[in-house]
Amino acid sequence: MVTVTININGENRTASVPAETTLLRALRDNFNLPGSKLGCDVGDCGACTVIVDGKPINSCLMLAAQAEGRTVLTIEGLASSNGVHPLQRAFEDCASLQCGFCGPGVIMSAKALIDEVPDPSIPQIRDALGGNLCRCTGYVKMIEAIRIAARAMRGETAEVNR
Ligand code: FES
Ligand code: FES
């Protein structure tokens, strides 16, 4: 067993886990954060995407022990006392998802992109979603939502600016 302390969604959390435990399993099973989804478990689908130290990663490919002392943002950390995050609102307004299974990973990839590129082009958005597989939609409504959310986050609409 290894003891890990990770800053998750702004809070230091500690757990003892078997050494082979992935960050995804620890988030879901030890920290009670099931928003990040377990899809392929081998790095192919992006359903498990979280942001570690500002970068989107597949949490099924990182050991929990490798996240020791690092900062992790999951889908549960996006909403605030002001309500849902502009990305979440835009995805809902645009009806961007169907089954929704890929949604948390897609939104976290989009968040990481907008944090780095506040006004992303469509090719940049497509590129950022390259590791997120969605078998229900054609991505078109996701891209529309990401552009709307980016505008809101730049303060160009009345939406909450985060
Ligand atoms: S569950 Fe991690 S990439 Fe598919
Ligand atoms: S909405 Fe079903 S996998 Fe994307």
Side-chain angles (χ1 to χ4, degrees):
M1 299 287 275
V2 292
T3 300
V4 293
T5 299
I6 308 170
N7 187 289
I8 304 172
N9 300 334
E11 196 183 326
N12 281 334
R13 307 278 304 269
T14 299
S16 290
V17 298
E20 68 275 17
T21 304
T22 63
L23 176 59
L24 175 62
R25 297 273 183 180
L27 290 170
R28 293 176 57 84
D29 300 341
N30 298 92
F31 297 119
N32 195 27
L33 294 168
S36 307
K37 298 305 178 210
L38 173 57
C40 64
D41 214 13
V42 292
D44 283 340
C45 74
C48 63
T49 304
V50 299
I51 299 177
V52 177
D53 291 340
K55 300 287 178 201
I57 63 111
N58 291 329
S59 59
C60 70
L61 294 184
M62 175 180 262
L63 293 175
Q66 292 175 305
E68 166 70 28
R70 302 175 78 173
T71 297
V72 176
L73 182 68
T74 74
I75 190 75
E76 290 92 343
L78 282 196
S80 72
S81 53
N82 291 331
V84 296
H85 188 276
L87 273 164
Q88 293 169 308
R89 181 175 305 129
F91 268 64
E92 184 172 335
D93 289 350
C94 295
S96 301
L97 297 171
Q98 290 180 27
C99 81
F101 191 81
C102 67
V106 168
I107 289 174
M108 297 314 288
S109 291
K111 164 90 165 79
L113 170 67
I114 294 172
D115 286 347
E116 202 168 305
V117 184
D119 189 7
S121 65
I122 289 177
Q124 284 173 315
I125 295 172
R126 284 192 185 282
D127 195 46
L129 300 188
N132 294 94
L133 299 186
C134 175
R135 60 188 169 185
C136 303
T137 77
Y139 294 89
V140 172
K141 291 288 178 185
M142 292 181 184
I143 292 168
E144 183 184 334
I146 291 166
R147 286 169 65 82
I148 288 170
R151 223 174 293 136
M153 292 162 73
R154 294 197 303 273
E156 294 174 13
T157 67
E159 302 232 16
V160 177
N161 183 21
R162 294 186 51 178

